[in-house]
Amino acid sequence: MLPRLYQKILEPNLSRTEYLTLQRLIWVVQGCRNVALSKLAQRFPQPRKAASRLRSLQRFLSREFLSTKKLWFPW
């Protein structure tokens, strides 16, 4: 669970699926020593093959809505 401040900022700017994916990604990052994308994809909780999860995470992280400027300064 994200702190309430982050929830207030992220929930209005992300779709439900994007928000849940971001929560899962943060959860996985917190449990890893090595934050290589391939390692994260192996531990990411999705019922897909690791290669598919890797491509999915790459697409997710390259999305415009994850930019600092867009999230913290939406106006």
Tab-separated table of all heavy atoms in Angstrom, residues 25-71:
chain	number	residue	atom	x	y	z
A	25	LEU	N	4.741	-3.022	-8.954
A	25	LEU	CA	6.133	-2.752	-9.295
A	25	LEU	C	6.896	-2.225	-8.076
A	25	LEU	O	8.013	-2.663	-7.795
A	25	LEU	CB	6.215	-1.759	-10.455
A	25	LEU	CG	7.605	-1.437	-10.974
A	25	LEU	CD1	8.303	-2.697	-11.479
A	25	LEU	CD2	7.522	-0.409	-12.083
A	26	ILE	N	6.303	-1.318	-7.340
A	26	ILE	CA	6.944	-0.791	-6.134
A	26	ILE	C	7.155	-1.902	-5.116
A	26	ILE	O	8.206	-2.001	-4.484
A	26	ILE	CB	6.117	0.374	-5.550
A	26	ILE	CG1	6.192	1.576	-6.490
A	26	ILE	CG2	6.608	0.749	-4.151
A	26	ILE	CD1	5.230	2.687	-6.162
A	27	TRP	N	6.158	-2.779	-4.958
A	27	TRP	CA	6.265	-3.896	-4.033
A	27	TRP	C	7.427	-4.819	-4.426
A	27	TRP	O	8.208	-5.242	-3.573
A	27	TRP	CB	4.938	-4.645	-4.012
A	27	TRP	CG	4.936	-5.858	-3.149
A	27	TRP	CD1	4.926	-5.900	-1.780
A	27	TRP	CD2	4.970	-7.209	-3.590
A	27	TRP	NE1	4.930	-7.192	-1.356
A	27	TRP	CE2	4.957	-8.027	-2.445
A	27	TRP	CE3	4.987	-7.812	-4.844
A	27	TRP	CZ2	4.978	-9.409	-2.519
A	27	TRP	CZ3	5.000	-9.183	-4.910
A	27	TRP	CH2	5.003	-9.965	-3.760
A	28	VAL	N	7.564	-5.103	-5.714
A	28	VAL	CA	8.633	-5.981	-6.188
A	28	VAL	C	9.996	-5.309	-6.012
A	28	VAL	O	10.952	-5.949	-5.576
A	28	VAL	CB	8.405	-6.386	-7.664
A	28	VAL	CG1	9.614	-7.088	-8.241
A	28	VAL	CG2	7.181	-7.272	-7.776
A	29	VAL	N	10.095	-4.022	-6.313
A	29	VAL	CA	11.367	-3.296	-6.174
A	29	VAL	C	11.825	-3.315	-4.714
A	29	VAL	O	13.009	-3.477	-4.428
A	29	VAL	CB	11.238	-1.839	-6.693
A	29	VAL	CG1	12.414	-0.993	-6.265
A	29	VAL	CG2	11.114	-1.841	-8.207
A	30	GLN	N	10.899	-3.165	-3.792
A	30	GLN	CA	11.248	-3.167	-2.377
A	30	GLN	C	11.813	-4.505	-1.921
A	30	GLN	O	12.601	-4.561	-0.985
A	30	GLN	CB	10.032	-2.812	-1.525
A	30	GLN	CG	9.622	-1.378	-1.652
A	30	GLN	CD	8.332	-1.060	-0.911
A	30	GLN	OE1	7.576	-1.952	-0.541
A	30	GLN	NE2	8.087	0.216	-0.700
A	31	GLY	N	11.451	-5.576	-2.587
A	31	GLY	CA	11.924	-6.899	-2.205
A	31	GLY	C	13.163	-7.364	-2.946
A	31	GLY	O	13.614	-8.486	-2.743
A	32	CYS	N	13.725	-6.534	-3.793
A	32	CYS	CA	14.893	-6.922	-4.596
A	32	CYS	C	16.144	-6.191	-4.135
A	32	CYS	O	16.091	-5.027	-3.759
A	32	CYS	CB	14.663	-6.583	-6.068
A	32	CYS	SG	13.434	-7.577	-6.874
A	33	ARG	N	17.246	-6.889	-4.209
A	33	ARG	CA	18.531	-6.230	-3.984
A	33	ARG	C	19.020	-5.605	-5.296
A	33	ARG	O	19.553	-4.528	-5.325
A	33	ARG	CB	19.571	-7.239	-3.519
A	33	ARG	CG	19.408	-7.661	-2.112
A	33	ARG	CD	20.546	-8.562	-1.742
A	33	ARG	NE	20.458	-8.927	-0.350
A	33	ARG	CZ	21.324	-9.686	0.237
A	33	ARG	NH1	22.343	-10.193	-0.449
A	33	ARG	NH2	21.185	-9.988	1.501
A	34	ASN	N	18.836	-6.357	-6.363
A	34	ASN	CA	19.262	-5.927	-7.688
A	34	ASN	C	18.029	-5.461	-8.451
A	34	ASN	O	17.099	-6.225	-8.643
A	34	ASN	CB	19.933	-7.096	-8.405
A	34	ASN	CG	20.496	-6.724	-9.731
A	34	ASN	OD1	20.381	-5.580	-10.161
A	34	ASN	ND2	21.116	-7.671	-10.391
A	35	VAL	N	18.025	-4.225	-8.902
A	35	VAL	CA	16.838	-3.665	-9.542
A	35	VAL	C	16.984	-3.651	-11.063
A	35	VAL	O	16.604	-2.716	-11.722
A	35	VAL	CB	16.536	-2.251	-8.986
A	35	VAL	CG1	15.202	-1.746	-9.480
A	35	VAL	CG2	16.538	-2.263	-7.473
A	36	ALA	N	17.537	-4.710	-11.607
A	36	ALA	CA	17.583	-4.855	-13.060
A	36	ALA	C	16.184	-5.220	-13.538
A	36	ALA	O	15.468	-5.978	-12.885
A	36	ALA	CB	18.581	-5.931	-13.462
A	37	LEU	N	15.786	-4.666	-14.658
A	37	LEU	CA	14.435	-4.888	-15.175
A	37	LEU	C	14.156	-6.378	-15.414
A	37	LEU	O	13.054	-6.855	-15.137
A	37	LEU	CB	14.226	-4.081	-16.453
A	37	LEU	CG	12.797	-3.853	-16.885
A	37	LEU	CD1	11.966	-3.250	-15.770
A	37	LEU	CD2	12.749	-2.966	-18.100
A	38	SER	N	15.144	-7.121	-15.863
A	38	SER	CA	14.945	-8.558	-16.092
A	38	SER	C	14.671	-9.287	-14.779
A	38	SER	O	13.835	-10.194	-14.730
A	38	SER	CB	16.165	-9.159	-16.790
A	38	SER	OG	17.320	-8.966	-16.002
A	39	LYS	N	15.332	-8.903	-13.706
A	39	LYS	CA	15.084	-9.516	-12.395
A	39	LYS	C	13.704	-9.153	-11.881
A	39	LYS	O	13.009	-9.973	-11.290
A	39	LYS	CB	16.143	-9.078	-11.372
A	39	LYS	CG	17.534	-9.516	-11.699
A	39	LYS	CD	17.693	-10.973	-11.421
A	39	LYS	CE	19.142	-11.372	-11.645
A	39	LYS	NZ	19.340	-12.786	-11.542
A	40	LEU	N	13.300	-7.902	-12.092
A	40	LEU	CA	11.959	-7.479	-11.670
A	40	LEU	C	10.886	-8.258	-12.421
A	40	LEU	O	9.882	-8.671	-11.844
A	40	LEU	CB	11.775	-5.978	-11.904
A	40	LEU	CG	12.631	-5.039	-11.069
A	40	LEU	CD1	12.378	-3.596	-11.485
A	40	LEU	CD2	12.369	-5.218	-9.594
A	41	ALA	N	11.104	-8.458	-13.709
A	41	ALA	CA	10.126	-9.190	-14.522
A	41	ALA	C	9.969	-10.626	-14.036
A	41	ALA	O	8.869	-11.176	-14.051
A	41	ALA	CB	10.534	-9.170	-15.984
A	42	GLN	N	11.054	-11.237	-13.582
A	42	GLN	CA	10.974	-12.601	-13.066
A	42	GLN	C	10.129	-12.670	-11.802
A	42	GLN	O	9.434	-13.647	-11.565
A	42	GLN	CB	12.377	-13.140	-12.772
A	42	GLN	CG	13.189	-13.402	-13.998
A	42	GLN	CD	14.617	-13.788	-13.658
A	42	GLN	OE1	15.042	-13.765	-12.503
A	42	GLN	NE2	15.382	-14.135	-14.678
A	43	ARG	N	10.174	-11.634	-10.979
A	43	ARG	CA	9.461	-11.643	-9.702
A	43	ARG	C	8.101	-10.958	-9.760
A	43	ARG	O	7.358	-10.986	-8.790
A	43	ARG	CB	10.320	-10.950	-8.644
A	43	ARG	CG	11.649	-11.666	-8.433
A	43	ARG	CD	12.436	-11.045	-7.358
A	43	ARG	NE	11.759	-11.308	-6.086
A	43	ARG	CZ	12.208	-10.887	-4.920
A	43	ARG	NH1	13.322	-10.197	-4.857
A	43	ARG	NH2	11.545	-11.150	-3.813
A	44	PHE	N	7.775	-10.357	-10.888
A	44	PHE	CA	6.523	-9.616	-11.010
A	44	PHE	C	5.337	-10.570	-10.991
A	44	PHE	O	5.321	-11.559	-11.719
A	44	PHE	CB	6.530	-8.792	-12.298
A	44	PHE	CG	5.596	-7.624	-12.278
A	44	PHE	CD1	5.892	-6.504	-11.525
A	44	PHE	CD2	4.420	-7.645	-12.997
A	44	PHE	CE1	5.032	-5.418	-11.502
A	44	PHE	CE2	3.560	-6.572	-12.980
A	44	PHE	CZ	3.873	-5.451	-12.237
A	45	PRO	N	4.314	-10.288	-10.163
A	45	PRO	CA	3.194	-11.227	-10.013
A	45	PRO	C	2.165	-11.137	-11.138
A	45	PRO	O	1.119	-10.514	-11.010
A	45	PRO	CB	2.580	-10.804	-8.670
A	45	PRO	CG	2.882	-9.351	-8.557
A	45	PRO	CD	4.209	-9.163	-9.243
A	46	GLN	N	2.481	-11.734	-12.264
A	46	GLN	CA	1.560	-11.831	-13.388
A	46	GLN	C	1.645	-13.236	-13.957
A	46	GLN	O	2.732	-13.816	-13.991
A	46	GLN	CB	1.909	-10.834	-14.495
A	46	GLN	CG	1.469	-9.432	-14.230
A	46	GLN	CD	1.762	-8.535	-15.438
A	46	GLN	OE1	2.644	-8.804	-16.229
A	46	GLN	NE2	1.019	-7.466	-15.539
A	47	PRO	N	0.526	-13.802	-14.404
A	47	PRO	CA	0.546	-15.170	-14.933
A	47	PRO	C	1.001	-15.238	-16.385
A	47	PRO	O	0.285	-15.708	-17.259
A	47	PRO	CB	-0.919	-15.599	-14.786
A	47	PRO	CG	-1.689	-14.333	-14.935
A	47	PRO	CD	-0.826	-13.270	-14.310
A	48	ARG	N	2.177	-14.732	-16.657
A	48	ARG	CA	2.742	-14.756	-18.012
A	48	ARG	C	4.164	-15.272	-17.946
A	48	ARG	O	4.753	-15.385	-16.890
A	48	ARG	CB	2.797	-13.342	-18.601
A	48	ARG	CG	1.496	-12.645	-18.734
A	48	ARG	CD	1.788	-11.308	-19.367
A	48	ARG	NE	0.650	-10.423	-19.319
A	48	ARG	CZ	0.725	-9.149	-19.602
A	48	ARG	NH1	1.866	-8.608	-19.933
A	48	ARG	NH2	-0.340	-8.400	-19.559
A	49	LYS	N	4.734	-15.503	-19.103
A	49	LYS	CA	6.144	-15.877	-19.164
A	49	LYS	C	6.994	-14.657	-18.834
A	49	LYS	O	6.572	-13.513	-19.027
A	49	LYS	CB	6.498	-16.395	-20.550
A	49	LYS	CG	5.822	-17.702	-20.885
A	49	LYS	CD	6.237	-18.184	-22.247
A	49	LYS	CE	5.549	-19.497	-22.562
A	49	LYS	NZ	5.919	-19.998	-23.873
A	50	ALA	N	8.210	-14.897	-18.353
A	50	ALA	CA	9.099	-13.810	-17.939
A	50	ALA	C	9.386	-12.838	-19.085
A	50	ALA	O	9.424	-11.629	-18.879
A	50	ALA	CB	10.404	-14.368	-17.377
A	51	ALA	N	9.571	-13.338	-20.292
A	51	ALA	CA	9.865	-12.464	-21.434
A	51	ALA	C	8.689	-11.531	-21.715
A	51	ALA	O	8.875	-10.353	-22.023
A	51	ALA	CB	10.183	-13.295	-22.667
A	52	SER	N	7.491	-12.036	-21.589
A	52	SER	CA	6.295	-11.219	-21.801
A	52	SER	C	6.155	-10.163	-20.699
A	52	SER	O	5.805	-9.019	-20.968
A	52	SER	CB	5.058	-12.113	-21.830
A	52	SER	OG	3.899	-11.350	-21.970
A	53	ARG	N	6.444	-10.560	-19.463
A	53	ARG	CA	6.397	-9.592	-18.353
A	53	ARG	C	7.447	-8.507	-18.540
A	53	ARG	O	7.201	-7.343	-18.247
A	53	ARG	CB	6.605	-10.316	-17.028
A	53	ARG	CG	5.421	-11.168	-16.621
A	53	ARG	CD	5.559	-11.675	-15.207
A	53	ARG	NE	6.761	-12.440	-14.986
A	53	ARG	CZ	6.827	-13.765	-14.894
A	53	ARG	NH1	5.734	-14.476	-15.002
A	53	ARG	NH2	7.968	-14.367	-14.673
A	54	LEU	N	8.615	-8.880	-19.048
A	54	LEU	CA	9.676	-7.906	-19.294
A	54	LEU	C	9.224	-6.870	-20.315
A	54	LEU	O	9.349	-5.665	-20.086
A	54	LEU	CB	10.946	-8.609	-19.773
A	54	LEU	CG	12.116	-7.706	-20.151
A	54	LEU	CD1	12.590	-6.905	-18.952
A	54	LEU	CD2	13.256	-8.529	-20.722
A	55	ARG	N	8.662	-7.318	-21.437
A	55	ARG	CA	8.177	-6.375	-22.450
A	55	ARG	C	7.057	-5.501	-21.894
A	55	ARG	O	7.002	-4.295	-22.150
A	55	ARG	CB	7.699	-7.130	-23.690
A	55	ARG	CG	8.824	-7.704	-24.525
A	55	ARG	CD	8.331	-8.236	-25.859
A	55	ARG	NE	7.269	-9.228	-25.733
A	55	ARG	CZ	7.463	-10.528	-25.544
A	55	ARG	NH1	8.686	-11.011	-25.471
A	55	ARG	NH2	6.438	-11.355	-25.455
A	56	SER	N	6.188	-6.091	-21.104
A	56	SER	CA	5.080	-5.346	-20.501
A	56	SER	C	5.609	-4.257	-19.561
A	56	SER	O	5.133	-3.115	-19.588
A	56	SER	CB	4.176	-6.312	-19.736
A	56	SER	OG	3.155	-5.629	-19.086
A	57	LEU	N	6.596	-4.596	-18.736
A	57	LEU	CA	7.184	-3.604	-17.831
A	57	LEU	C	7.919	-2.505	-18.596
A	57	LEU	O	7.860	-1.335	-18.219
A	57	LEU	CB	8.130	-4.276	-16.839
A	57	LEU	CG	7.465	-5.058	-15.715
A	57	LEU	CD1	8.521	-5.796	-14.888
A	57	LEU	CD2	6.640	-4.150	-14.839
A	58	GLN	N	8.607	-2.877	-19.668
A	58	GLN	CA	9.301	-1.874	-20.481
A	58	GLN	C	8.301	-0.880	-21.059
A	58	GLN	O	8.530	0.333	-21.023
A	58	GLN	CB	10.086	-2.542	-21.608
A	58	GLN	CG	11.330	-3.243	-21.150
A	58	GLN	CD	11.974	-4.051	-22.264
A	58	GLN	OE1	11.309	-4.554	-23.172
A	58	GLN	NE2	13.289	-4.193	-22.182
A	59	ARG	N	7.186	-1.371	-21.584
A	59	ARG	CA	6.162	-0.481	-22.135
A	59	ARG	C	5.555	0.394	-21.034
A	59	ARG	O	5.354	1.587	-21.214
A	59	ARG	CB	5.063	-1.289	-22.826
A	59	ARG	CG	5.442	-1.829	-24.166
A	59	ARG	CD	4.234	-2.378	-24.917
A	59	ARG	NE	3.498	-3.380	-24.165
A	59	ARG	CZ	3.745	-4.684	-24.187
A	59	ARG	NH1	4.726	-5.155	-24.939
A	59	ARG	NH2	3.021	-5.521	-23.482
A	60	PHE	N	5.278	-0.217	-19.889
A	60	PHE	CA	4.677	0.521	-18.779
A	60	PHE	C	5.586	1.650	-18.315
A	60	PHE	O	5.139	2.779	-18.115
A	60	PHE	CB	4.375	-0.440	-17.621
A	60	PHE	CG	3.803	0.248	-16.416
A	60	PHE	CD1	2.478	0.651	-16.413
A	60	PHE	CD2	4.577	0.489	-15.306
A	60	PHE	CE1	1.945	1.292	-15.306
A	60	PHE	CE2	4.052	1.128	-14.200
A	60	PHE	CZ	2.727	1.529	-14.200
A	61	LEU	N	6.865	1.375	-18.143
A	61	LEU	CA	7.799	2.380	-17.623
A	61	LEU	C	8.127	3.473	-18.634
A	61	LEU	O	8.603	4.542	-18.251
A	61	LEU	CB	9.080	1.699	-17.142
A	61	LEU	CG	8.907	0.839	-15.894
A	61	LEU	CD1	10.173	0.045	-15.620
A	61	LEU	CD2	8.513	1.692	-14.701
A	62	SER	N	7.876	3.228	-19.907
A	62	SER	CA	8.164	4.248	-20.913
A	62	SER	C	6.964	5.151	-21.182
A	62	SER	O	7.045	6.070	-21.989
A	62	SER	CB	8.621	3.596	-22.220
A	62	SER	OG	7.561	2.873	-22.798
A	63	ARG	N	5.859	4.921	-20.492
A	63	ARG	CA	4.644	5.707	-20.704
A	63	ARG	C	4.817	7.142	-20.220
A	63	ARG	O	5.512	7.426	-19.254
A	63	ARG	CB	3.464	5.071	-19.965
A	63	ARG	CG	3.144	3.637	-20.336
A	63	ARG	CD	2.293	3.517	-21.588
A	63	ARG	NE	1.116	4.326	-21.564
A	63	ARG	CZ	-0.099	3.940	-21.203
A	63	ARG	NH1	-0.289	2.705	-20.802
A	63	ARG	NH2	-1.107	4.770	-21.248
A	64	GLU	N	4.141	8.052	-20.877
A	64	GLU	CA	4.208	9.480	-20.586
A	64	GLU	C	3.703	9.819	-19.178
A	64	GLU	O	4.233	10.698	-18.524
A	64	GLU	CB	3.386	10.245	-21.636
A	64	GLU	CG	3.199	11.719	-21.354
A	64	GLU	CD	4.473	12.518	-21.502
A	64	GLU	OE1	5.354	12.103	-22.260
A	64	GLU	OE2	4.567	13.572	-20.843
A	65	PHE	N	2.681	9.115	-18.717
A	65	PHE	CA	2.077	9.468	-17.438
A	65	PHE	C	3.012	9.245	-16.250
A	65	PHE	O	2.750	9.724	-15.165
A	65	PHE	CB	0.767	8.702	-17.206
A	65	PHE	CG	0.944	7.229	-17.031
A	65	PHE	CD1	1.301	6.688	-15.817
A	65	PHE	CD2	0.734	6.375	-18.086
A	65	PHE	CE1	1.453	5.328	-15.653
A	65	PHE	CE2	0.870	5.022	-17.943
A	65	PHE	CZ	1.243	4.496	-16.722
A	66	LEU	N	4.118	8.539	-16.428
A	66	LEU	CA	5.042	8.299	-15.333
A	66	LEU	C	6.125	9.368	-15.214
A	66	LEU	O	6.992	9.253	-14.370
A	66	LEU	CB	5.700	6.929	-15.479
A	66	LEU	CG	4.811	5.746	-15.130
A	66	LEU	CD1	5.531	4.443	-15.405
A	66	LEU	CD2	4.347	5.813	-13.699
A	67	SER	N	6.059	10.397	-16.021
A	67	SER	CA	7.078	11.442	-15.923
A	67	SER	C	6.866	12.248	-14.641
A	67	SER	O	5.744	12.482	-14.201
A	67	SER	CB	7.031	12.373	-17.131
A	67	SER	OG	5.895	13.208	-17.059
A	68	THR	N	7.944	12.659	-14.022
A	68	THR	CA	7.877	13.428	-12.779
A	68	THR	C	7.101	14.714	-12.990
A	68	THR	O	6.258	15.085	-12.167
A	68	THR	CB	9.305	13.757	-12.291
A	68	THR	OG1	10.029	12.540	-12.180
A	68	THR	CG2	9.276	14.458	-10.951
A	69	LYS	N	7.362	15.367	-14.087
A	69	LYS	CA	6.687	16.632	-14.367
A	69	LYS	C	5.172	16.444	-14.458
A	69	LYS	O	4.400	17.226	-13.924
A	69	LYS	CB	7.236	17.223	-15.668
A	69	LYS	CG	6.716	18.578	-15.990
A	69	LYS	CD	7.387	19.119	-17.248
A	69	LYS	CE	6.896	20.503	-17.566
A	69	LYS	NZ	7.509	21.041	-18.763
A	70	LYS	N	4.741	15.399	-15.112
A	70	LYS	CA	3.308	15.149	-15.298
A	70	LYS	C	2.625	14.794	-13.979
A	70	LYS	O	1.511	15.237	-13.707
A	70	LYS	CB	3.143	14.019	-16.311
A	70	LYS	CG	1.748	13.542	-16.488
A	70	LYS	CD	1.100	14.189	-17.639
A	70	LYS	CE	-0.221	13.502	-17.917
A	70	LYS	NZ	-1.206	14.355	-18.405
A	71	LEU	N	3.274	13.976	-13.141
A	71	LEU	CA	2.642	13.539	-11.899
A	71	LEU	C	2.648	14.604	-10.805
A	71	LEU	O	1.682	14.783	-10.097
A	71	LEU	CB	3.321	12.263	-11.382
A	71	LEU	CG	3.027	11.006	-12.164
A	71	LEU	CD1	3.852	9.851	-11.636
A	71	LEU	CD2	1.549	10.671	-12.108
